[in-house]
């Protein structure tokens, strides 16, 4: 049995992430339909960086639509899976094993994205700020940064019970047990995950910071960005502080 924090968990899980959190191609296409539309509305038409790209489901879908894509993730197995798909389809997508807090790219991109509620996965606010700094370095002077995040207002209602919330999720090759609760100051989600695949058991224990749109605005402003768009999900629905499951934020250099 393996038990540790987020970095070690995802390294140990490695190529199994695509089975731990599988999502269908139709979901990915719908999400990228929306993201492609808002990025082009912001004047971006060429290149993007997918941070914490996992097995490349968004990155390769963007490449299918003509974007030049660079995906970064800490998991070698996930990067290998993403690279194989790009190679098989002759897509303009490259992938590299890098930490979201320190990654570097050879050429600056038009946009950088953190999708799938991955922002906050570092487990501490200094690490999240370092991730934003790396994204800032990676985009050009007209660059856009986009986040798909948990909505703290929705999470506060969903996890209102002091006992927290348990759920079991069947995957393609195992079962994942999730227990979530809020920290006493309600500034973070406490995650306890046990993922069983055959004889292997992976455990994750972490606190994931929650950010309001205002706190993200402050963080991004310190890095030279201002918010230009706000949505409640990747369908483009209007944001509601308590009813939207997600917080979609788009920033552009000041």
């Amino acid at each position: 049995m393996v038990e540790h924090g987020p970095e070690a968990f995802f390294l140990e899980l490695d190529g199994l992430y695509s089975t731990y959190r599988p999502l269908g191609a139709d979901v990915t296409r719908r999400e990228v339909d929306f993201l492609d539309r808002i990025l082009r509305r912001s004047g971006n038409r060429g290149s993007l960086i997918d941070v914490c790209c996992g097995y490349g489901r968004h990155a390769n879908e963007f490449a299918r639509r003509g974007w030049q894509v660079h995906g970064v993730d800490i998991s070698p197995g996930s990067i290998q899976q993403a690279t194989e798909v790009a190679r098989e389809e002759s897509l303009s997508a490259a992938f590299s094993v890098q930490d979201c807090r320190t990654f570097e790219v050879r050429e600056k991109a038009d946009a950088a994205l953190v999708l799938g509620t991955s922002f906050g996965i570092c487990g501490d606010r200094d690490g999240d700020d370092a991730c934003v700094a790396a994204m800032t370095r990676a985009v050009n002077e007209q660059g856009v940064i986009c986040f798909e995040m948990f909505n703290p207002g929705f999470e506060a209602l969903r996890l209102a019970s002091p006992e927290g919330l348990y759920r079991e999720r069947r995957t393609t090759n195992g079962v994942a047990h999730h227990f979530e609760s809020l920290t006493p100051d309600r500034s973070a989600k406490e995650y306890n995950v046990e993922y069983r695949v055959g004889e292997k058991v992976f455990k994750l224990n972490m606190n994931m910071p929650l950010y309001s749109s205002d706190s993200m605005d402050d963080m991004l402003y310190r890095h030279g960005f201002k918010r230009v768009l706000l949505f409640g999900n990747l369908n483009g629905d209007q944001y509601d502080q308590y009813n939207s499951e997600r917080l979609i934020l788009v920033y552009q250099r000041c």
Side-chain angles (χ1 to χ4, degrees):
M1 181 171 65
V2 181
E3 180 173 1
H4 30 40
E7 182 174 347
F9 173 77
F10 287 107
L11 283 172
E12 191 72 33
L13 196 62
D14 205 23
L16 290 174
Y17 183 72
S18 61
T19 62
Y20 169 68
R21 196 177 181 186
L23 288 167
D26 55 336
V27 174
T28 302
R29 283 192 293 268
R30 185 176 68 246
E31 292 175 347
V32 174
D33 279 344
F34 169 70
L35 291 165
D36 181 68
R37 189 163 62 250
I38 65 171
L39 289 174
R40 293 183 187 278
R41 184 193 308 174
S42 301
N44 295 280
R45 299 179 181 277
S47 57
L48 65 84
I49 301 161
D50 188 356
V51 182
C52 301
C53 68
Y55 53 98
R57 70 181 187 93
H58 289 113
N60 281 322
E61 185 61 31
F62 271 108
R64 293 184 187 104
R65 296 158 193 252
W67 289 81
Q68 292 184 332
V69 180
H70 189 142
V72 300
D73 197 277
I74 201 170
S75 165
S78 293
I79 289 297
Q80 181 180 351
Q81 291 174 351
T83 300
E84 288 173 354
V85 171
R87 185 183 299 119
E88 289 170 1
E89 298 186 30
S90 300
L91 299 175
S92 183
F95 299 89
S96 59
V97 179
Q98 296 193 67
D99 190 302
C100 67
R101 297 163 292 191
T102 57
F103 76 89
E104 298 179 351
V105 292
R106 291 183 179 179
E107 296 183 6
K108 293 183 183 293
D110 294 323
L113 320 176
V114 184
L115 304 174
T117 64
S118 293
F119 188 73
I121 203 66
C122 299
D124 66 88
R125 294 179 186 273
D126 288 342
D128 296 339
D129 190 76
C131 176
V132 173
M135 296 170 75
T136 298
R137 293 190 297 270
V139 297
N140 59 36
E141 290 303 317
Q142 291 77 42
V144 167
I145 294 179
C146 177
F147 301 89
E148 178 196 2
M149 307 171 61
F150 288 115
N151 175 15
F154 180 84
E155 293 299 311
L157 294 177
R158 189 173 73 90
L159 302 174
S161 169
E163 289 76 28
L165 182 67
Y166 169 80
R167 60 191 173 97
E168 179 181 295
R169 181 167 56 84
R170 298 281 174 179
T171 70
T172 54
N173 64 349
V175 59
H177 303 274
H178 294 254
F179 178 77
E180 303 169 66
S181 60
L182 292 177
T183 56
D185 64 0
R186 306 170 75 85
S187 67
K189 287 174 63 170
E190 294 183 338
Y191 264 114
N192 292 279
V193 177
E194 181 180 279
Y195 182 37
R196 293 180 175 270
V197 181
E199 297 298 317
K200 292 185 177 181
V201 180
F202 304 90
K203 285 194 173 185
L204 168 65
N205 306 103
M206 68 170 291
N207 287 355
M208 187 175 192
L210 294 171
Y211 294 94
S212 67
S213 57
D214 288 343
S215 61
M216 287 297 293
D217 289 352
D218 290 343
M219 183 190 302
L220 271 291
Y221 186 77
R222 293 196 301 272
H223 290 277
F225 287 80
K226 63 179 179 180
R227 179 170 21 115
V228 293
L229 293 170
L230 168 68
F231 300 97
N233 54 35
L234 289 179
N235 294 323
D237 293 335
Q238 183 176 346
Y239 173 72
D240 182 281
Q241 183 178 357
Y242 297 108
N243 293 315
S244 296
E245 292 189 26
R246 294 290 184 264
L247 176 60
I248 312 300
L249 297 164
V250 182
Y251 294 88
Q252 197 154 26
R253 284 196 190 272
C254 297

